[in-house]
Amino acid sequence: MPLSTEVLSPGSIAWLSRGLTALIGLFVALLAYRGFKRNDAPKMRLLALGIGLLTTGVFLTVTVANVAGADTGGILIARGIVTVTGLCAVLLALLYR
């Protein structure tokens, strides 16, 4: 039984790829959070937040904005805000003493 072209469309492949990235990122963020809880290391909490935002946060933001009917500019702004926030959290984790 051949797969329909709708299942293998570039849009669905891109969506699945982003979803897989979000799941793996969430897993890594949870591991970092477990490290924070185990060692009481605030660096790990910031790292978990940053990784979570950069992967799962961006995916959820884009998905919600898309479902809400935001235009391309709105989606890009929302994605940019979440990305910058995640990068700031990772930077703080690296600079935290």
Side-chain angles (χ1 to χ4, degrees), residues 38-83:
R38 185 178 329 117
N39 300 318
D40 195 30
K43 289 175 122 177
M44 295 299 285
R45 180 178 49 205
L46 285 169
L47 186 62
L49 176 65
I51 291 171
L53 285 173
L54 287 170
T55 56
T56 308
V58 168
F59 175 76
L60 291 176
T61 300
V62 170
T63 301
V64 168
N66 198 12
V67 169
D71 61 347
T72 304
I75 292 172
L76 288 174
I77 288 171
R79 178 184 177 152
I81 290 170
V82 173
T83 300

Side-chain angles (χ1 to χ4, degrees), residues 15 18 26 32-33 42 46 48 52-54 65 67 72 78 83 88 90 92 97:
W15 189 89
R18 289 190 303 262
L26 181 62
Y33 186 75
L46 285 169
L53 285 173
L54 287 170
V67 169
T72 304
T83 300
C88 287
V90 171
L92 287 173
R97 293 192 184 255

